[in-house]
Structures are given as structure tokens and as C-alpha cells.
């Protein structure tokens, strides 16, 4: 049994939805930032899955590269946001 494109896109949509829910639900800014990596992970899963099923004969490297780039961007965005949030509360 193999996962299809629809399954991959449902998982990606679920990750984005859970991340958006966490970001909207938490009242504290630093706690709300925990949803951002989940939303970026959903985007990465969608890129990797679409790339995997778009080229059945070729290598799906482009989607995996974009997913890795999205993961690095998520890490940088969360680090920047935590730094900004921590700076605002110290005064």
C-alpha cells in the first residue's frame, strides 16, 4: 500500500491547519510562535509530495530541496520572532 498525492496533500493541509489553530489560540506571543514551524512543515510536505508525484520517472530532488529551504526559513523566522518578542518584554 502506497500513499498517494491526495493523502500527502491532506497531511499537509492538516499540518497547516493545526499550526494556524495553535497560533490563533495562544494568547502569549512566544507560545503562539510554536504554530509557525507546523505551518512551514505543511508547506514543505506539500512541496515534497507534489514533486514526488509530478515526476514519476525522474528524481524528486527539487521538492525535497524546497522543503529543506522552507525548514531553514521556518527556523530563522521563529528565532527572529522570539528575539523580537523577548526584547519587547525586557523593558
Amino acid at each position: 500500500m502506497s500513499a498517494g498525492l491526495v493523502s500527502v496533500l491532506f497531511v499537509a493541509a492538516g499540518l497547516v491547519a493545526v499550526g494556524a489553530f495553535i497560533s490563533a489560540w495562544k494568547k502569549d506571543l512566544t507560545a503562539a510562535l510554536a504554530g509557525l514551524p507546523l505551518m512551514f512543515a505543511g508547506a514543505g510536505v506539500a512541496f515534497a509530495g507534489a514533486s514526488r508525484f509530478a515526476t514519476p520517472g525522474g528524481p524528486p530532488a527539487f521538492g525535497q530541496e524546497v522543503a529543506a529551504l522552507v525548514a531553514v526559513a521556518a527556523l530563522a523566522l521563529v528565532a527572529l520572532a522570539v528575539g523580537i518578542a523577548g526584547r519587547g518584554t525586557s523593558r
Side-chain angles (χ1 to χ4, degrees), residues 8-91:
V8 170
L9 292 180
F10 269 118
V11 169
L15 284 171
V16 171
V18 169
F21 180 74
I22 289 173
S23 293
W25 187 264
K26 299 290 184 179
K27 303 231 185 289
D28 186 27
L29 178 62
T30 55
L33 289 173
L36 287 177
L38 281 173
M39 289 189 280
F40 277 98
V45 167
F47 274 118
S51 151
R52 164 73 172 91
F53 292 107
T55 58
F62 180 71
Q64 294 171 0
E65 291 168 358
V66 171
L69 180 66
V70 166
V72 170
L75 178 66
L77 180 67
V78 169
L80 179 67
V82 167
I84 291 172
R87 185 176 181 193
T89 59
S90 64
R91 291 182 181 182

